[in-house]
Amino acid sequence: MSRLTARFWVDAYLARLRFQDIPAFVTAHGDDTAGAVLVKLNTLDGQARAYQRSFDLMTGDRKWVELVAGADGEVEASIAKQRQFDSDLWVIEVEDRQGRHLLDEPGLD
């Protein structure tokens, strides 16, 4: 099974968010081909959540799991630590007061 490049997935995700009028920005540009992607959801009330894609060894499925949640500064510190370990990491910040990130929609796993 072939995989999409990271850049292609990021571009498609940003387009989906735009269609729903959900602001999102690339805050760290990772490797275009194989970089991992981390999504930060900022609810604009001082709180945030970060999601990473996980691989389920039992089913072979990919799914988005919450990496960290809490005060925006704490989430930012966790993301910075992840970037120290993985310079190819993409970081996308989604800003939505309703907490929408669309990661649970079909085709985004």
Side-chain angles (χ1 to χ4, degrees):
M1 178 189 213
S2 62
R3 289 182 42 186
L4 299 176
T5 65
R7 178 61 183 256
F8 187 88
W9 188 92
V10 166
D11 288 344
Y13 180 55
L14 293 173
R16 267 205 181 165
L17 290 165
R18 272 193 307 274
F19 291 142
Q20 296 292 325
D21 292 323
I22 301 171
F25 313 91
V26 174
T27 60
H29 187 288
D31 181 76
D32 283 346
T33 305
V37 178
L38 192 146
V39 175
K40 176 187 171 193
L41 173 62
N42 184 341
T43 51
L44 304 172
D45 61 356
Q47 298 295 304
R49 297 178 183 278
Y51 298 89
Q52 68 182 5
R53 200 169 359 184
S54 178
F55 184 74
D56 185 331
L57 294 173
M58 298 297 286
T59 65
D61 293 336
R62 292 177 175 268
K63 61 182 180 176
W64 288 93
V65 296
E66 187 176 289
L67 174 67
V68 63
D72 185 53
E74 294 171 13
V75 173
E76 276 298 318
S78 179
I79 291 170
K81 185 183 274 188
Q82 293 290 322
R83 294 257 320 132
Q84 287 177 349
F85 293 118
D86 184 359
S87 61
D88 292 334
L89 182 67
W90 286 81
V91 180
I92 300 169
E93 181 161 347
V94 177
E95 295 180 344
D96 188 68
R97 292 186 192 281
Q98 298 172 34
R100 298 174 297 164
H101 51 64
L102 307 183
L103 294 173
D104 50 357
E105 288 195 351
L108 289 176
D109 53 354

